[in-house]
Amino acid sequence: MPLEQTLSIIKPDATRRNITGEIIARLEKAGLRVVAQRRMLLSTAQAEAFYNVHKARPFFRNLVEFMTSGPVVVQVLEGENAIAKNREVMGATDPSKADAGTIRKDFAESIEANSVHGSDAPETAKNEIRFFFSDLDICG
């Protein structure tokens, strides 16, 4: 099976609690490799652009405010079936519905402050990776 890449974001609730290393360790233990990584503060404009697909939804403004409330760690993960594997390790968006042992079940504070984001499809992954990284940033 060919290698695939996906975007992962460790959200402000997780960086605030200093659990980025624990989250990355779980991703690596699942066979995903970090091939690009950056810790950053998203501006309001960046968060609005990144989450533009949700602009018409009632949670959009709260999402933007949350994602700009503290540092995030954006990273490109690589591995076989990386998108599905990352989503499996993250768990369901709603932590109350996430399986035991997943990142969101173990670390999320709420459905919004759920510690991580991951791409949901190959085209989304490609666009999300390009939003944060150039080809020169990715070192596989």
Side-chain angles (χ1 to χ4, degrees):
M1 182 177 275
L3 291 180
E4 184 175 65
Q5 292 181 339
T6 189
L7 183 82
S8 167
I9 302 177
I10 301 176
K11 295 181 178 183
D13 62 297
T15 61
R16 175 178 39 81
R17 291 178 288 146
N18 203 30
I19 57 173
T20 57
E22 291 179 61
I23 291 171
I24 294 165
R26 287 187 185 204
L27 296 168
E28 290 179 332
K29 187 175 181 181
L32 296 167
R33 193 167 161 219
V34 178
V35 295
Q37 186 179 69
R38 174 179 298 122
R39 184 179 179 99
M40 64 186 294
L41 283 168
L42 290 174
S43 68
T44 298
Q46 287 171 316
E48 287 174 344
F50 185 77
Y51 288 106
N52 189 52
V53 67
H54 299 301
K55 191 172 183 91
R57 303 190 73 176
F59 61 81
F60 177 73
R61 187 55 39 209
N62 287 341
L63 176 61
V64 169
E65 288 175 13
F66 169 65
M67 290 301 291
T68 59
S69 69
V72 297
V73 176
V74 293
Q75 51 194 3
V76 179
L77 304 176
E78 185 176 84
E80 290 184 9
N81 208 17
I83 295 167
K85 189 171 286 188
N86 183 41
R87 295 187 71 75
E88 179 183 322
V89 174
M90 287 190 311
T93 301
D94 181 346
S96 69
K97 297 177 182 171
D99 290 339
T102 61
I103 292 169
R104 288 177 172 152
K105 186 66 161 186
D106 293 346
F107 299 126
E109 296 178 325
S110 68
I111 194 167
E112 182 180 82
N114 62 14
S115 299
V116 287
H117 163 90
S119 304
D120 62 2
E123 191 61 30
T124 307
K126 182 178 176 184
N127 293 334
E128 289 183 346
I129 289 168
R130 217 177 348 202
F131 187 90
F132 290 106
F133 297 99
S134 76
D135 289 343
L136 294 174
D137 296 320
I138 300 171
C139 307

